[in-house]
Amino acid sequence: MPSRETLVTEFTARAEEVSAVVSTVASIDAALDHVVDLCAGKEACQWLLAGCEAPLSAPAENLCATAAAAKVLAAPGLAEDLRDRLAQRCRANGIHLVEGSLRQRLGGIDIGLTFADAGIAETGTLVIDSSDEETRLATMISEVHVAILPAGKIVATADDLAVPLGQALARPGNFTAFITGASRTADIERVLAIGVHGPLALHILILED
Amino acid sequence: MQTARDLKGYKKEIQGALENDFLRSAMDKFAVAYPASRARAFAGIDVPSLVAEIAAIKDANLARLDELLAEFTRHAEACGVKVHLAEDAEAANRIIAEIAHAGGAHRIVKSKSMTAEETLLNHHLEAEGLEVVETDLGEWIIQLRHEGPSHMVMPAIHLSRHQVADLFSEVTRTRQDAEIERLVKVSRRELRARYVEADMGITGANFAIADTGAIGITTNEGNARLVATLPRIHVALMGIDKLVSTLTDALRINRALPRNATGQKITSYVTWITGPVACAAGPEGRKEMHIVFLDNGRRALARDPIFAQVLRCVRCGACANVCPVYRMVGGHQYGHIYIGAIGLILTYFFHGRDKARNLVQNCINCGACKAVCAAGIDLPHLIKEIHTRIQDETGHPLQSSMLAKVLANRGLFHRLLRAARVAQKPITGGTPYLRHLPMIFSKEQNFRVLPAIAEVPFRDRWPVLRPRVERPRWRVALFSGCVQDFVHPEQLEAGLKSMEGLGVRVEFPMGQSCCGLPAQMMGEKEAARRVAIQNMAAMATERCDYIVTLCASCASHLTHGYPKLFTEGTEEKRLAQAFSAKVISFSRFLSEVVKIGPEHFGPAVGVKTTYHAPCHLCRGLEEHEAPKALIKAAGMDFAPAAEEETCCGFGGTYSSKFPTISAQILELKLADIERTGAAVLVTECPGCVMQLRGGAKRAGMPLKVLHLAEALAEARAPADK
């Protein structure tokens, strides 16, 4: 069994290889600070690299118009105390915090914050139980997906998760996601482009202790 | 898609593809980049073991498909999924249309599914008045262009950014620049609106896990997750061959799938779904979920003793990635809907003989697909089997059955070759080349000069050449193959010379004939079988330690082809196995048995020499090093060429059947050789020598092309030269 340090190092290297931005945070409060800073420093809703002024067909333009004027941080399913701490920080930074009804926000969410249930070092993969629809959408429709991964939950390979995953798959209504890097395509001339239908970027905060 | 009525029509379409400059350069770039990224992705993994494991997993699951289907259905239905089994493509399409109608769905978003391509699902749904939008970028592009995919994983690989920009300009009614990053974002925004409106989402699946009723989907763009999440109805369509027993099986397969497909260690997303998930738009906050399994001949195929392994395919598309013919002609000419080597085979089973009959002839038999297959499918062999089957069903073409008759009769074959030597005189002008091509060949054959039939075949020279070895350390029977016997006897003579004084007693059994590979390649399996029986009797296996051959194609066919020609449990099968166990290539014999080293050669001459690995040596016999070790031992200055193990385009009868493709493959090969700056090119197959020497000569390259035996003979006795 490789040491935690080896696993964290390997996980970080593999995740960075596929464009994930990996940081280590010492505490959950540090993680929340990090997310809020990231959101505050981000341009609001940047659908296109060139910005929202780029011409599109009418339905696409209309959808874009539904995006909120303020920056939006979606953090569904947080424990009450954690949510309060995040809400306080959001208020202080003029960020709109949402926890549900993400379906109404397909026009754009700036940051989606979720916890990861496990990490796979060999491939830099996050494992996230996304059976809850709001969690699922937060990882799908946000421009930046930020995942907090407790360091102790990193395993060497997917095989090491066979038992808990097997149990998850046996539960009706289960939706378990392996997420590795941001969404990507090489469908045009095999040129790699990051950010297609899913997040444009993936940030992973490895939580110590 | 295949629309050509006959081989002539098919060749015309191929010509169009060969003249498509963008396609050619895109394919070349990909062919060069792919092996390196694949190797990086597999670093640290024992690939042959993994492939063997996947083959075993798939075989075990295929043997109990019905059982797995019942188990899956029980679990999935317990979760509230409706499981459907569609007998054929039409049934699958009908079932899915009915689901849409019953659920009041009009707008459908879809993520990538080769199975849906197989059934032409979109056409059917559109004809039923439903709106279907593909959301995978490549699939959306080809849907907008009303085309089929040209690669299983990269469906729009045949298109340039400019073509995509023009297309997207039409869709958005605004001019879009040909900038890839931007075009990708256009699809992001345009398609996001479609998920919002859709009532139903259709996905494929890579795995259906029997013991839980869960499905697994691997994707990169994130569209399948949205398709499976936003609309209130989710339909997953997959072939029943996607059934596996457990999650562990799926995880094993997924170790190889992305690595082999795109050189990724894992795709961005792997999604595991068990039954209807929470969905705010669904009735009672849950999805309506349907899983449609497509049979379409798969259950019968799973019971076929020869072809069942076809269903091991995990749809990674790697067989296309490494195919030299695919590289030249692209996917639209190398498959009907399924593309690449596996596509040639699947076309026959899923889309019928008429779509497959031209395609299966366009395999050069280089074995690159087999070597890369994630599930260890013997693709080239199965392609030939289908070729044979189609000819058995529809009648053998005259040319093919005549060749079969001639090859099966050694006396007649050799008399014809001797007669041809006399007949060729007016066109050789006394040189060893055919100066002008005879009428039976078309102008298309002119891309390389062809050698003339030798004045005196090796078999007639043998009584004089036969070496006397008093106390032999090894007793060897030499198998010449027809090309070296009648066209290049000097290569065999050089072979004898390079073994002089090393204690090798050589016999040349006169009853031997062509190895039979050309008959096999033409789909004449019965003739191939008869020739094999003659050769096995002629070579008197019991009297030698080794059967040495200087022709890689013969060696590979004698080793792997012969045992496959006969049924399990027969005397012929036993004979063929004993025979093939003694077959060894010239280079491996000298390198590993005789252990020839620098001490056996004269002083190093240091001529810059490069090497072309014959397909049937490097992949057919898995011999990658011996020829190069010998080149170095003989004192030549070895300079490796790029794509050393890529086919030269010869492929025996292939080069005369598809000369324009053969010529293009040769051109790339010669360019790689030229870049080494070598004065000498060494290879170990008379067919490759013929192609490369003829091509270099036609191109006016100052390159000396030698069979390994010739290079070694020169180095052993430099004083003679």
Side-chain angles (χ1 to χ4, degrees):
Chain A
M1 184 73 190
S3 71
R4 178 185 286 199
E5 199 190 337
T6 313
L7 290 172
V8 169
T9 309
E10 171 79 1
F11 177 90
T12 305
R14 296 291 83 79
E16 286 176 345
E17 226 169 57
V18 289
S19 82
V21 181
V22 185
S23 319
T24 306
V25 287
S27 66
I28 194 72
D29 281 300
L32 298 182
D33 287 342
H34 190 111
V35 175
V36 170
D37 282 352
L38 188 68
C39 194
K42 179 186 174 291
E43 293 276 328
C45 183
Q46 30 176 227
W47 276 96
L48 279 155
L49 286 186
C52 276
E53 76 284 1
L56 284 179
S57 66
E61 291 289 1
N62 293 343
L63 183 65
C64 195
T66 66
K71 278 178 238 180
V72 177
L73 195 158
L78 291 187
E80 199 171 334
D81 135 73
L82 210 53
R83 189 196 59 207
D84 291 347
R85 276 138 78 190
L86 182 61
Q88 200 179 4
R89 286 171 170 82
C90 286
R91 269 196 305 277
N93 286 279
I95 295 168
H96 185 50
L97 175 67
V98 296
E99 294 165 83
S101 303
L102 295 189
R103 261 178 191 274
Q104 310 312 318
R105 300 185 172 273
L106 294 171
I109 291 173
D110 290 284
I111 289 190
L113 174 66
T114 70
F115 276 86
D117 299 293
I120 302 169
E122 187 188 36
T123 49
T125 299
L126 299 170
V127 180
I128 302 181
D129 179 348
S130 314
S131 304
D132 168 57
E133 190 182 59
E134 305 296 350
T135 303
R136 218 181 309 148
L137 287 171
T139 69
M140 291 179 190
I141 61 171
S142 309
E143 296 197 342
V144 180
H145 172 206
V146 182
I148 300 172
L149 169 65
K153 292 195 170 177
I154 301 176
V155 297
T157 70
D159 293 340
D160 297 324
L161 292 173
V163 173
L165 264 180
Q167 288 163 353
L169 263 60
R171 279 195 297 274
N174 158 77
F175 189 116
T176 299
F178 284 10
I179 298 179
T180 313
S183 66
R184 60 184 53 220
T185 188
D187 271 354
I188 304 176
E189 294 192 14
R190 287 184 47 258
V191 173
L192 179 66
I194 308 283
V196 198
H197 303 294
L200 305 170
L202 172 67
H203 290 239
I204 301 170
L205 307 182
I206 298 180
L207 179 62
E208 303 276 3
D209 87 296
Chain B
M1 285 207 184
Q2 291 305 306
T3 49
R5 295 166 67 95
D6 53 16
L7 194 60
K8 202 174 156 195
Y10 177 53
K11 285 184 176 183
K12 205 171 154 193
E13 287 174 5
I14 284 171
Q15 205 47 41
L18 286 173
E19 286 161 12
N20 179 340
D21 288 341
F22 172 76
L23 180 69
R24 290 294 312 281
S25 86
M27 292 287 141
D28 276 348
K29 270 192 243 159
F30 177 47
V32 173
Y34 169 74
S37 55
R38 176 181 186 267
R40 273 196 302 277
F42 273 115
I45 291 178
D46 175 354
V47 183
S49 303
L50 180 58
V51 168
E53 218 181 322
I54 291 173
I57 288 170
K58 291 295 276 185
D59 286 349
N61 288 328
L62 289 168
R64 44 190 289 263
L65 265 189
D66 286 342
E67 220 176 296
L68 291 181
L69 180 63
E71 192 185 349
F72 181 93
T73 306
R74 196 171 68 244
H75 288 291
E77 295 198 330
C79 302
V81 178
K82 176 89 183 83
V83 178
H84 310 256
L85 175 63
E87 212 53 49
D88 54 20
E90 203 206 317
N93 295 343
R94 198 177 52 238
I95 289 167
I96 295 172
E98 279 165 10
I99 295 169
H101 292 317
H106 301 288
R107 288 174 168 168
I108 299 171
V109 279
K110 201 176 148 290
S111 64
K112 186 164 169 38
S113 154
M114 277 310 296
T115 313
E117 296 285 350
E118 175 185 334
T119 68
L120 297 171
L121 176 64
N122 291 358
H123 296 266
H124 184 88
L125 296 181
E126 281 162 7
E128 294 266 328
L130 300 161
E131 181 192 294
V132 192
V133 178
E134 291 286 351
T135 58
D136 170 89
L137 174 56
E139 288 285 336
W140 189 46
I141 292 169
I142 61 168
Q143 184 190 29
L144 292 169
R145 286 175 58 94
H146 309 290
E147 279 181 332
S150 67
H151 189 284
M152 292 206 283
V153 179
M154 293 162 290
I157 191 174
H158 59 293
L159 297 171
S160 75
R161 64 189 76 187
H162 302 285
Q163 287 167 295
V164 176
D166 288 347
L167 190 65
F168 284 7
S169 300
E170 271 176 52
V171 171
T172 58
R173 296 176 198 280
T174 345
R175 185 67 220 160
Q176 301 292 347
D177 295 334
E179 192 192 317
I180 291 174
E181 272 286 326
R182 230 185 131 94
L183 292 169
V184 169
K185 298 299 183 290
V186 169
S187 85
R188 174 187 171 90
R189 267 186 78 194
E190 287 295 333
L191 289 172
R192 184 69 66 97
R194 303 309 185 102
Y195 302 111
V196 180
E197 304 159 351
D199 320 292
M200 176 162 140
I202 302 175
T203 67
N206 299 84
F207 311 103
I209 301 169
D211 72 350
T212 52
I215 58 170
I217 311 174
T218 67
T219 60
N220 275 314
E221 295 183 3
N223 58 316
R225 289 152 44 87
L226 287 163
V227 167
T229 292
L230 289 170
R232 60 191 157 84
I233 306 172
H234 177 196
V235 178
L237 168 67
M238 69 209 78
I240 47 169
D241 51 316
K242 293 289 186 285
L243 281 160
V244 292
S245 308
T246 60
L247 172 70
T248 316
D249 285 356
L251 291 176
R252 280 286 103 180
I253 294 167
N254 203 44
R255 265 179 98 67
L257 174 58
R259 290 180 164 94
N260 226 33
T262 50
Q264 290 176 277
K265 292 193 176 78
I266 193 167
T267 49
S268 301
Y269 304 106
V270 183
T271 304
W272 309 99
I273 302 175
T274 314
V277 291
C279 172
E284 293 161 37
R286 290 238 153 234
K287 285 243 176 211
E288 174 183 337
M289 186 180 187
H290 299 261
I291 292 178
V292 182
F293 284 104
L294 175 66
D295 182 344
N296 207 18
R298 285 167 172 85
R299 283 201 288 182
L301 195 53
R303 290 190 293 269
D304 188 300
I306 297 169
F307 290 103
Q309 57 169 304
V310 168
L311 295 178
R312 287 183 198 160
C313 175
V314 300
R315 305 284 189 268
C316 67
C319 55
N321 300 356
V322 297
C323 172
V325 179
Y326 173 83
R327 177 174 175 177
M328 297 302 137
V329 303
H332 288 155
Q333 301 313 329
Y334 212 62
H336 174 57
I337 284 170
Y338 289 102
I339 306 298
I342 193 71
L344 305 193
I345 300 167
L346 292 179
T347 297
Y348 174 81
F349 290 106
F350 296 158
H351 298 105
R353 191 166 65 206
D354 284 348
K355 300 291 183 198
R357 66 199 313 169
N358 300 321
L359 290 174
V360 292
Q361 300 185 54
N362 200 359
C363 165
I364 199 167
N365 198 31
C366 72
C369 49
K370 179 184 174 184
V372 82
C373 178
I377 305 172
D378 192 350
L379 295 154
H381 174 65
L382 296 180
I383 293 169
K384 285 298 144 218
E385 286 285 337
I386 296 207
H387 188 186
T388 303
R389 202 183 258 208
I390 292 177
Q391 291 198 166
D392 288 347
E393 286 166 359
T394 62
H396 292 228
L398 186 63
Q399 204 190 1
S400 161
S401 46
M402 273 179 56
L403 176 94
K405 278 206 181 69
V406 170
L407 283 183
N409 181 338
R410 187 187 65 80
L412 172 63
F413 178 45
H414 288 172
R415 274 200 302 284
L416 283 173
L417 284 170
R418 286 171 198 276
R421 182 186 64 80
V422 181
Q424 76 184 356
K425 283 235 161 113
I427 50 170
T428 60
T431 71
Y433 294 105
L434 295 173
R435 284 287 152 200
H436 306 286
L437 290 169
M439 300 304 281
I440 53 162
F441 290 125
S442 66
K443 204 170 69 196
E444 291 175 332
Q445 300 290 341
N446 218 10
F447 64 94
R448 75 252 198 256
V449 292
L450 289 168
I453 291 170
E455 200 64 25
V456 184
F458 182 77
R459 56 179 56 242
D460 293 1
R461 304 183 191 190
W462 176 249
V464 182
L465 295 171
R466 185 179 179 185
R468 309 267 173 254
V469 179
E470 288 309 326
R471 283 209 207 106
R473 296 180 63 197
W474 301 281
R475 297 168 310 155
V476 157
L478 182 64
F479 185 87
S480 69
C482 38
V483 176
Q484 283 181 327
D485 192 354
F486 285 87
V487 183
H488 288 303
E490 73 282 2
Q491 294 173 3
L492 295 165
E493 279 190 47
L496 294 175
K497 207 170 197 175
S498 44
M499 291 190 286
E500 251 168 38
L502 300 171
V504 185
R505 176 184 283 170
V506 184
E507 292 297 336
F508 182 77
M510 285 294 167
Q512 63 179 287
S513 185
C514 168
C515 69
L517 181 61
Q520 176 104 342
M521 283 290 287
M522 300 278 277
E524 298 291 342
K525 196 172 174 183
E526 192 41 48
R529 211 176 269 137
R530 285 170 60 190
V531 175
I533 292 171
Q534 287 171 29
N535 280 329
M536 292 192 298
M539 293 309 284
T541 316
E542 68 286 355
R543 291 210 299 274
C544 63
D545 306 317
Y546 293 99
I547 297 167
V548 172
T549 169
L550 280 68
C551 171
S553 296
C554 294
S556 164
H557 186 54
L558 300 180
T559 306
H560 302 298
Y562 274 26
K564 274 186 212 147
L565 287 168
F566 306 103
T567 324
E568 208 61 59
T570 60
E571 176 61 10
E572 281 101 341
K573 180 87 168 182
R574 198 193 56 75
L575 270 176
Q577 281 162 340
F579 175 85
S580 69
K582 289 202 172 175
V583 176
I584 189 167
S585 72
F586 175 70
S587 57
R588 189 175 286 174
F589 178 68
L590 282 189
S591 189
E592 286 174 23
V593 180
V594 179
K595 296 193 168 45
I596 195 169
E599 68 279 12
H600 295 105
F601 294 95
V605 284
V607 179
K608 200 169 196 186
T609 303
T610 190
Y611 170 67
H612 161 68
C615 299
H616 294 163
L617 189 71
C618 65
R619 284 177 292 273
L621 298 174
E622 288 179 64
E623 181 53 76
H624 305 276
E625 296 308 324
K628 291 188 274 185
L630 292 168
I631 289 170
K632 289 175 200 162
M636 288 167 258
D637 172 18
F638 177 64
E643 298 195 80
E644 178 183 278
E645 296 194 342
T646 299
C647 182
C648 69
F650 180 64
T653 47
Y654 181 89
S655 62
S656 51
K657 192 177 252 176
F658 292 100
T660 55
I661 299 174
S662 172
Q664 299 280 314
I665 298 176
L666 175 61
E667 199 179 304
L668 290 180
K669 182 53 99 175
L670 288 173
D672 282 337
I673 302 293
E674 197 163 28
R675 275 192 286 274
T676 64
V680 177
L681 166 63
V682 170
T683 185
E684 202 191 335
C685 184
C688 303
V689 171
M690 204 186 270
Q691 173 91 342
L692 293 161
R693 192 183 276 167
K697 199 170 167 64
R698 178 62 83 222
M701 283 168 68
L703 180 73
K704 194 163 152 190
V705 181
L706 295 177
H707 188 283
L708 177 68
E710 296 174 293
L712 297 185
E714 270 185 34
R716 286 212 69 198
D720 294 0
K721 299 289 139 184

